[in-house]
């Protein structure tokens, strides 16, 4: 199955910068009238994080895997796919780069060329996705995982703080 990549950042004609208190100042927002079909905030959210690897990258960051190689390992995604998702999520204000002088020995194919290669962390907007991931986990356990799968009832850690 081919996956269509999320284009990031949103073209300037489709982007607006929201100055409401709950917006992320440097994030790109999607103009509802730029979306096809029945535009709504859910459709706009899916423009930002609706690709499978995007939410798995957010999950890995929430679980403490902030290094590129750890994110690749945890998601099981190809390196180029993780690099593209990190660029997209960073452009959208969901993820931010962190500085770390230890560096990532495997390099950083996410397109960063600084000598001190750091890691990644969730922004406040990224942390706001954690209840969504918890809901997907619960839904997936009930409706997406085969009833006879031995790992179906495993205890998975909640990502959002209570």
């Amino acid at each position: 199955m081919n996956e269509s990549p999320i284009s990031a950042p949103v073209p300037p004609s489709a982007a607006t910068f929201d100055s409401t208190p709950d917006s992320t100042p440097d994030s790109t927002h999607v103009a509802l009238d730029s979306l096809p079909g029945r535009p709504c905030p859910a459709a706009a959210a899916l423009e930002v994080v609706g690709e499978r690897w995007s939410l798995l990258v957010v999950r890995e960051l929430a679980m403490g895997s902030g290094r590129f190689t750890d994110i690749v390992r945890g998601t099981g995604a190809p390196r180029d796919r993780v690099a593209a998702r990190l660029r997209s999520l960073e452009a959208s204000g969901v993820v931010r780069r962190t500085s770390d002088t230890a560096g990532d020995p495997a390099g950083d194919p996410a397109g960063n060329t600084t000598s001190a290669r750091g890691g990644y962390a969730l922004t406040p907007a990224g942390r706001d996705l954690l209840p969504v991931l918890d809901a997907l986990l619960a839904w997936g356990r009930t409706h997406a995982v085969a009833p006879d799968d031995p790992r179906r009832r495993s205890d998975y850690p909640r990502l959002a703080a209570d």
Side-chain angles (χ1 to χ4, degrees):
M1 168 161 87
N2 287 349
E3 299 177 46
S4 69
I6 296 175
S7 58
V10 176
S13 62
T16 60
F17 296 95
D18 189 347
S19 61
T20 58
D22 60 345
S23 68
T24 306
D26 294 325
S27 66
T28 303
H29 293 89
V30 178
L32 291 177
D33 56 347
S34 71
L35 299 173
R38 188 187 313 262
C40 69
L46 290 170
E47 284 292 310
V48 177
V49 296
E51 196 271 336
R52 174 186 181 189
W53 302 118
S54 294
L55 289 176
L56 293 179
V57 165
V58 171
R59 178 199 66 191
E60 288 305 307
L61 291 170
M63 294 178 73
S65 298
R67 305 298 293 225
F68 181 80
T69 54
D70 294 335
I71 296 167
V72 169
R73 187 177 309 112
T75 61
R79 294 173 65 82
D80 64 329
R81 190 69 47 116
V82 171
R85 296 296 70 84
L86 284 166
R87 282 192 303 270
S88 174
L89 291 168
E90 187 176 10
S92 298
V94 174
V95 168
R96 66 177 174 80
R97 295 273 301 149
T98 61
S99 60
D100 180 0
T101 56
D104 187 338
D108 184 1
N112 302 294
T113 57
T114 59
S115 59
R117 297 179 193 220
Y120 297 88
L122 294 174
T123 63
R127 287 188 297 276
D128 283 349
L129 281 168
L130 301 184
V132 173
L133 285 170
D134 284 336
L136 278 172
L137 178 99
W139 185 90
R141 180 183 291 143
T142 303
H143 301 288
V145 177
D148 60 346
D149 190 307
R151 296 181 62 187
R152 180 176 187 211
R153 294 291 174 205
S154 296
D155 287 329
Y156 296 95
R158 284 184 44 89
L159 300 172
D162 290 325

